[in-house]
Amino acid sequence: MSDPRTIFIEEAVQGRNDEIAATNRQLFNRLRVFSMNVMSAPGSGKTEFLARTLTDTFDKFSSGVIVGDIATDNDARRLMRSGVDAVQITTNGYCHLDAEMVARATEAIDLDRIDMLIIENVGNMVCPASFDLGERMRVVLLSVTEGEDKPLKYPTLFKVADVVVVNKLDIADAVGFKRESALENIRTIAPQATIFEVSARTGAGMQSWYDFLCERMELEY
Amino acid sequence: MHEVGLIQQVIDLVEDYAEREHAGVIRSVKMRVGDLSGAVPDSLTFAFGIVRRDTVAKDAELIIEREPVICFCCGCDKEFMPSGAVYECPICGTLSVQIMSGRSLQVVSIEVD
């Protein structure tokens, strides 16, 4: 029996995902496609928010969408009604998207023809926080029906957010949403994030979000 | 968060290295797990106990080195370790947006015969 010895490895467990994410990122940069990973709990209004964004920015820039859901292609079909190419990833149980799924889905999108790629992640506030997809920007959505302390309960996700969107403002009063408390919690847990308060249904607050997107895209490319 | 899947990747990685280094038996696997990585150490240990069966790591011990969150305060030009999820500088009270460590999820080393 040989003597015990230590072999140093120092490799990331998620190295494979990270490598594919880096390849995705390089591809998007090379083709000047601004990519965003949109994450939230199920039912926060992600798809409605994105549908409205896509419809309202249709004349400003062209977009493509990748949507992840455990089952159905309802969201991709809904987003296609905004006039964009949308590719559905149906994960059949996998509760988050990973870089390889995104890489495969982008093969079905003509990246040369788009300025922005939106990746709507599976509704889940835990796992998506830990999987790099190669995106340029991370957006976390939170609806007024979810309560003010959501950021305190899911700090890992909020701490990777570049943008936090508070959605469904139109029903805030009806559900007794404590706005100041929510904003304070977001600012405390996610001081790095730019915050938008919107109603995707009525359009309230959405223009600031579009202006921000245009600015970011101009800065980037 | 998917500890079984993560441990499967760990086992694949250490099996590769063991083979490359012509190692007979893996005695221990050391991991570095950041507090912000999303992985839960107890769950990793539990998953390891199951997934290592019938592999070259079947008798190996999993050693987890926790990596705490360390932030940097630009105003004070100093690093600090926050005590919870609010990354407030203990000197000036500013909320830090620079996370220097705490996100690692790595296989550090293996001890082999």
Side-chain angles (χ1 to χ4, degrees):
Chain A
M1 190 168 69
S2 49
D3 292 329
R5 58 196 165 104
T6 301
I7 300 170
F8 287 96
I9 297 178
E10 299 278 359
E11 277 193 37
V13 174
Q14 289 171 287
R16 184 155 181 271
N17 184 80
D18 292 349
E19 271 169 30
I20 300 173
T23 305
N24 291 345
R25 189 165 276 119
Q26 275 167 24
L27 176 66
F28 301 150
N29 280 341
R30 187 166 56 80
L31 297 179
R32 299 160 82 83
V33 173
F34 188 84
S35 56
M36 73 173 86
N37 179 3
V38 184
M39 300 170 278
S40 77
S44 65
K46 266 195 311 305
T47 309
E48 177 79 15
F49 172 76
L50 293 175
R52 181 109 199 190
T53 299
L54 292 167
T55 303
D56 290 351
T57 60
F58 194 74
D59 295 328
K60 293 193 182 61
F61 46 79
S62 57
S63 304
V65 186
I66 294 172
V67 190
D69 282 293
I70 290 177
T72 83
D73 61 354
N74 295 348
D75 286 354
R77 297 215 260 144
R78 193 165 150 201
L79 292 170
M80 279 195 269
R81 293 205 286 270
S82 301
V84 302
D85 281 341
V87 175
Q88 178 79 52
I89 300 173
T90 305
T91 72
N92 294 317
Y94 223 50
C95 56
H96 60 271
L97 293 180
D98 65 24
E100 187 175 10
M101 292 176 194
V102 169
R104 279 204 299 265
T106 54
E107 287 167 13
I109 293 184
D110 191 349
L111 294 176
D112 287 313
R113 289 184 47 212
I114 60 171
D115 303 305
M116 183 164 74
L117 177 67
I118 295 179
I119 305 165
E120 186 187 334
N121 216 313
V122 178
N124 176 351
M125 288 194 112
V126 180
C127 312
S130 304
F131 288 86
D132 185 7
L133 306 179
E135 71 278 37
R136 181 64 190 82
M137 187 166 84
R138 290 176 178 141
V139 178
V140 172
L141 226 82
L142 164 68
S143 79
V144 301
T145 55
E146 293 172 62
E148 303 77 30
D149 57 355
K150 208 79 175 203
L152 306 176
K153 291 181 173 175
Y154 296 92
T156 306
L157 179 64
F158 279 86
K159 286 184 185 299
V160 302
D162 297 299
V163 169
V164 175
V165 177
V166 180
N167 192 24
K168 304 191 184 179
L169 269 197
D170 51 318
I171 58 169
D173 287 343
V175 301
F177 181 66
K178 298 184 188 69
R179 177 181 175 265
E180 282 311 320
S181 183
L183 293 176
E184 178 61 23
N185 288 338
I186 297 168
R187 286 188 201 112
T188 303
I189 298 295
Q192 78 288 349
T194 305
I195 303 172
F196 295 96
E197 297 169 77
V198 307
S199 163
R201 179 181 294 189
T202 67
M206 294 294 281
Q207 190 57 51
S208 302
W209 160 241
Y210 306 149
D211 292 342
F212 172 81
L213 273 182
C214 287
E215 260 176 50
R216 289 301 315 274
M217 286 168 71
E218 263 170 54
L219 268 173
E220 200 73 18
Y221 300 122
Chain B
M1 182 216 65
H2 299 286
E3 277 75 5
V4 171
L6 291 174
I7 290 296
Q8 276 170 337
Q9 288 174 76
V10 169
I11 298 284
D12 288 346
L13 194 58
V14 304
E15 278 190 324
D16 266 349
Y17 270 83
E19 194 180 311
R20 262 191 269 168
E21 300 284 328
H22 308 293
V25 168
I26 300 179
R27 291 278 166 226
S28 68
V29 176
K30 188 174 185 188
M31 286 184 68
R32 184 175 297 124
V33 180
D35 287 347
L36 265 190
S37 67
V40 177
D42 281 352
S43 300
L44 288 170
T45 303
F46 179 77
F48 187 79
I50 296 167
V51 178
R52 68 178 181 170
R53 292 176 195 166
D54 301 324
T55 73
V56 73
K58 63 180 166 52
D59 295 315
E61 182 195 355
L62 180 65
I63 301 167
I64 292 179
E65 176 191 288
R66 264 189 60 216
E67 179 191 72
V69 174
I70 294 180
C71 299
F72 182 75
C73 177
C74 296
C76 299
D77 198 29
K78 274 187 160 68
E79 288 184 351
F80 66 92
M81 198 182 300
S83 53
V86 182
Y87 296 171
E88 191 178 309
C89 172
I91 300 171
C92 71
T94 308
L95 293 172
S96 168
V97 298
Q98 278 189 264
I99 299 169
M100 311 304 289
S101 73
R103 293 197 155 123
S104 298
L105 187 56
Q106 290 178 315
V107 177
V108 175
S109 60
I110 53 176
E111 202 181 47
V112 302
D113 283 339

